[in-house]
Amino acid sequence: TASTPWYIIPSIYFSKPPHIPLTYLHAMVLELNSFFTRSNKDDDKAKRQKSILVKWTGKRKAFLGFILVLSGTVALNVFATSKIFGSYYNNSSNDPESRARKPDYPKGRVFNGDESDLYAVDGLKAKVRGLSSDRSEGQQIQPLVEFPSPLDGFKDVWEVRGDEHDTPVFWHIPKSGGSSFKDIFGRCHRLTMAAEAGILEGHDKDTELQAMYMTDNPWHKFVNVDTTHIEGLERAKEMGLVSSGLADLIVTSPLFVADNLFDSLHKGRIFAVFRHPVDRAISLFHYLKYATWERTYDESFASMTLREYAQSTLVHDNWLTRVLSNDLTGTVTDHHLEVAKRIIREKVLVGLLSEKEISMNRFEYFFGWKYNTGLMMPGQQESCRNHFLGTGTNINHKLNKEKPKPGSPDYDAIASLNVFDIALYEYIESIFWEQEKLVTGLTEDYRQPSQSELEEQVQEYFKFPSLLDGYKDLTHRNEGTDITPVFWHIPSHGDPFKHVYGRCHRLTVAAEPGVLMGHGSDTEINTFYLEDNPWHKFVNVDTTHPEGIERAKEMGLVPSGLADLIVVSHVYDAETLFDSSHKGRLFAVFRHPVDQAISLFYYLQYATWERSYNERFSSMTIQEYARSDLFHDNYLTRVLSNQFNGKVTNDHLEVAKRVVREKVLVGLLSEKEISLNRFEYYFGWKYNTSVEKPRSQEKFREEFLHTGTNVNQKHKSYKPQPGSGPYELMAERNAYDMKLYTFIETIFWEQEKLFTDISDDYRHPSQPELELQVQQYFKFPFPLDGYKDTKDRSEGLIITPVFWHIPGHSFRDIYGRCHRLTVASEAGVRMGHDKDTELETFYLGDNHWHKFVNVDTFNLAGLGRAKEMGLVPSGMAEVIMVGNIFDANILFDSSHKGQIFTVFQHPVDREISKFASLQHNTMTVQEYVQSPYAQNNWLTRFLSNDFINELTVTHQRVARRILREKVLVGLLSEKEETMDRFERFFGWNYRIYPEEQEECREQFLHKLFNNGGLGPGDQDYETIALSNMHDIDLYNYIYGLFMEQGKYLAKVSRNENRFEGATCCMCEDPPTC
């Protein structure tokens, strides 16, 4: 049929072995092939050709006679010779446009991996010799031509693919486009290659195999061997190149020597790109005129013409046939040609330079090469591939003169030297189209991996230097594990952000200050405030260097849950802090690499406290720094790829990109506000200290974001601008970081989709959230649930006023002596009433102004007795006076609540009053504040119940919370307003003799306070103030609270007139009313 392959001849039966020269037989095969090919162009002719073929195959003897007659004629001899050796004169393939067209070869059966197919051509040759081609009879088919050396190290091209031990072997034929293809394999597909570049930079002295990047070739890896010459192949074999599996691809020239690399378990698969021999020879000539670096360079090339080259001893005739037949010196014959053809047919996956795109597609499909670098996106790889396919990589095309045309003397001079190569090339073209069957499943988008394939390839190709599985991927939410935010602090990037986290959001942080004040010697994990940093807590570890991370791990930092935030510099070391139950989430703020380098330089000129400080910085100019060995090139890429020494390559860049994309929540210093918004939203950070109002936190936040926290900006004298020498030099030295930063900017805007619902007031908690946060963050030192909140006006509870007596003022006398209220206080156990077993009220013998209940509520034992005797449920006490509100909490229950009220005095005035009251006092104020008599910051310590440790902001916050929630506040400096509020709040009216009670009230309210004439500015006053700074801050807060409660109490007061309802029953002394 018209689709019958050219090797139909083996099916013809010969009764006797005809003595037909191989050359003639081959000529007949080519003619029959052409005959069938032409027949496909015309359906009518095709039918006639089929008829003729049937007649030929049906009349075997006649056909045999036809063959025998032809074999004896000179005409056939000339015919065969012209077809094989002279076709370049009259064959259309010599025309470049014609050669670019795909020939219409008949589409017959091709080799499909069945072993019998491998012997199809050899079957013809066996039958010509009189051997049977029926292999079932047990006769071994012997090939007509033997390989000059066994090539069993290479698999036959038609054998089934997929063995993981097979290694692609690219036979690089000079000036056939091989350099462009090699660049695609390496630069675009990023295959690790064994080639001539492997022994550069002294690697020819290596004694062990390794894959590495070259200084002038950072695009892909090379194995440290040279497989392009005989000595290099022998060295590669000795070092175990193939069995090591390091090479994705081996590039070679001497095929027969390269065959020795392989064994029964490891096979090679040859592929190559071929070019028309005349074009190749002409290109080689022009190339060698300039290629002084080539081994074959000769100075005489420079002055030669092409005709002179063709007539010289430097020209290579039939190079391709000679190499494949392994005969580089003798006369080439048709036997050499047949050997070359057999090798091409059986061992080589063929590509054509004239069909670069199709050839590259086949190679990629055959070897399963898809875009697989992951972080170099497939689109970039495609552009890379198109570039090299379109323009090539050799300079030869720039230097070529006009190329001779077929039929010209120069062209024919070269062609006459390559008649066997021309015949071989025509055969190669037919094999090229025949091998199309090998790639029947090839699609246009084959190179593009699916998303799942891409992710798998990324995992395989760009492995993290360490697993990094301690950090959650950005796309994975927080369910199932404890998550700790991990801030990667990049120098000259993140200081303002750290202060916002600590000073504004008041997060407890694990960072470098954690080992100050001797905490580097702690053996147990804990939190503390620094003396000079009372704004937020630190955990007592330093997580910014490897040794500190190791200590933090041993102390159980992450499982303890003490750190709201961990600050690190070494992301790979810090990853070891986490496990399967506790994960970290990386986030960071990035800055343009050149700006970062400039800022870092000016900072290090003054930062003598930094580990990396060097005295040389102080005297350097920025130009000198950019050229010096102190300059940190590509810092980001090095940290993220964990490559701190040696040369940075594209692979390090790709690893860094992968880490950023998968593991890092990205912020930009150029977008500080947006970045911080994202961090706060992502980690759920709202203003939550409560005692400091959200508006104050917002103020501090804005301050740090817009002014920064580092002194660096004060010392900058000159900032290089883009285009200046220092700027461009630093950009050049940070070339990989520049590319990485561009990628980071892209990721930053991509991550925007994670934050589509951020509101402007997100940081501000609702009132219920605020109260809950306060409960969790500033816990009372002891329960105070027996007391009603100041603003709680719910009905149904029995409320007893509880006066918290702070020594130093006379308000307690007003309640009893003037308002004549029945009081529970320390006076209740006088006159033997401590022995009473039942509650009762009484007047003291020397105190006829008001009654007392027979209990003592000023000490813990007395409070316990009062509780047992049922003081509060009895309702006998109209006011309970206590010295310790925490102890007194036990008196109350869910049905009976207390309401705390008290009067505060300025802390300095309180201490002055106490100092003045000391009898036989000979101390100075300076001595007093250092003595046990002084109770510096007494109020803060009492409310936070800490009389031993160093005070911090948290102590004051606890105190503030108690005052705000539980205490009706009065001020000694506002005595009239204070007493008026208490009276209105509790509904206290005069009972008898209103005029006398008012006079009593005025007498106690206006009792002068003796401050010894001291005031602000006096040395003694300032000495006391300096020792009571926490109480002074707390008093300022109390003053504001007093003003705030005034607005509230104006709405809830019960009786505006304390004179209303006053009576006089029996106005004796004492009265009986």
Side-chain angles (χ1 to χ4, degrees), residues 549-717:
I549 290 171
E550 185 63 30
R551 176 174 174 265
K553 183 178 181 180
E554 293 174 358
M555 295 176 70
L557 168 64
V558 173
S560 74
L562 290 177
D564 299 317
L565 171 68
I566 298 175
V567 178
V568 305
S569 298
H570 300 79
V571 292
Y572 288 97
D573 292 307
E575 185 266 339
T576 61
L577 292 171
F578 304 96
D579 55 34
S580 58
S581 300
H582 306 85
K583 298 291 185 182
R585 280 204 181 276
L586 273 177
F587 68 108
V589 179
F590 297 91
R591 187 178 189 180
H592 190 280
V594 177
D595 293 339
Q596 189 263 347
I598 294 170
S599 179
L600 183 63
F601 166 68
Y602 285 117
Y603 173 70
L604 290 176
Q605 283 194 314
Y606 301 90
T608 55
W609 55 89
E610 290 287 355
R611 295 186 178 190
S612 54
Y613 176 75
N614 189 303
E615 292 182 355
R616 291 165 56 194
F617 285 124
S618 59
S619 59
M620 272 186 178
T621 66
I622 195 163
Q623 180 87 13
E624 292 169 338
Y625 170 66
R627 297 183 182 278
S628 75
D629 60 320
L630 296 177
F631 185 86
H632 296 286
D633 70 286
N634 299 300
Y635 171 84
L636 287 179
T637 306
R638 289 184 179 278
V639 171
L640 287 171
S641 63
N642 209 23
Q643 171 75 10
F644 292 95
N645 300 307
K647 182 171 64 68
V648 177
T649 67
N650 273 347
D651 268 5
H652 297 107
L653 174 62
E654 301 307 322
V655 170
K657 287 181 179 179
R658 182 186 167 199
V659 174
V660 169
R661 187 179 66 248
E662 294 185 15
K663 298 291 185 178
V664 184
L665 180 62
V666 170
L668 298 178
L669 193 63
S670 60
E671 299 288 350
K672 288 187 289 188
E673 183 68 35
I674 296 175
S675 299
L676 190 54
N677 283 342
R678 290 184 183 181
F679 298 157
E680 291 165 334
Y681 181 82
Y682 192 87
F683 294 113
W685 293 333
K686 296 187 178 185
Y687 296 142
N688 63 359
T689 62
S690 178
V691 178
E692 183 172 66
K693 300 296 179 62
R695 60 177 175 269
S696 300
Q697 293 177 296
E698 186 76 5
K699 178 182 177 182
F700 289 137
R701 180 182 185 274
E702 293 299 313
E703 177 183 342
F704 287 127
L705 279 181
H706 294 102
T707 64
T709 59
N710 211 307
V711 298
N712 193 10
Q713 56 189 331
K714 301 177 183 178
H715 297 296
K716 288 179 183 175
S717 56

Side-chain angles (χ1 to χ4, degrees), residues 266-458:
H266 305 86
K267 298 292 184 181
R269 283 192 178 272
I270 307 172
F271 68 107
V273 179
F274 297 91
R275 186 179 189 180
H276 191 278
V278 178
D279 295 339
R280 192 190 74 82
I282 294 172
S283 178
L284 181 63
F285 164 69
H286 288 295
Y287 174 70
L288 291 176
K289 289 172 71 73
Y290 301 91
T292 55
W293 54 89
E294 291 287 355
R295 296 184 179 187
T296 54
Y297 176 76
D298 190 299
E299 292 182 355
S300 56
F301 282 123
S303 58
M304 275 188 181
T305 65
L306 182 60
R307 183 84 57 86
E308 291 171 340
Y309 170 66
Q311 295 171 353
S312 74
T313 58
L314 297 175
V315 70
H316 295 284
D317 70 290
N318 297 299
W319 182 89
L320 191 58
T321 305
R322 288 182 178 279
V323 170
L324 286 172
S325 61
N326 204 23
D327 189 345
L328 302 179
T329 57
T331 301
V332 180
T333 67
D334 58 351
H335 176 76
H336 295 94
L337 178 60
E338 294 307 316
V339 171
K341 286 181 179 179
R342 182 185 170 204
I343 292 175
I344 293 292
R345 182 177 66 252
E346 296 184 12
K347 297 292 184 179
V348 183
L349 178 64
V350 170
L352 297 178
L353 186 62
S354 59
E355 298 288 353
K356 288 187 290 186
E357 181 68 35
I358 296 175
S359 300
M360 192 64 215
N361 284 343
R362 286 190 189 177
F363 298 156
E364 291 164 333
Y365 185 81
F366 189 87
F367 294 113
W369 293 332
K370 294 188 178 185
Y371 295 142
N372 63 358
T373 62
L375 300 179
M376 181 180 180
M377 295 302 178
Q380 295 173 291
Q381 292 178 298
E382 186 77 3
S383 298
C384 172
R385 180 182 185 273
N386 292 338
H387 167 74
F388 288 116
L389 284 179
T391 63
T393 58
N394 212 305
I395 61 171
N396 195 8
H397 66 279
K398 300 177 182 178
L399 303 172
N400 266 348
K401 297 181 179 179
E402 184 178 354
K403 189 167 64 174
K405 296 180 180 180
S408 67
D410 286 348
Y411 190 97
D412 289 350
I414 298 296
S416 64
L417 295 171
N418 289 282
V419 289
F420 284 94
D421 272 11
I422 291 171
L424 179 59
Y425 182 76
E426 291 175 1
Y427 179 77
I428 288 170
E429 284 185 310
S430 69
I431 293 296
F432 175 78
W433 295 112
E434 185 177 316
Q435 287 180 351
E436 190 173 28
K437 297 293 185 179
L438 287 168
V439 289
T440 53
L442 180 61
T443 58
E444 291 183 359
D445 61 346
Y446 170 74
R447 293 180 299 279
Q448 309 291 337
S450 65
Q451 186 61 35
S452 60
E453 287 177 321
L454 189 60
E455 291 174 358
E456 182 179 349
Q457 291 162 358
V458 169

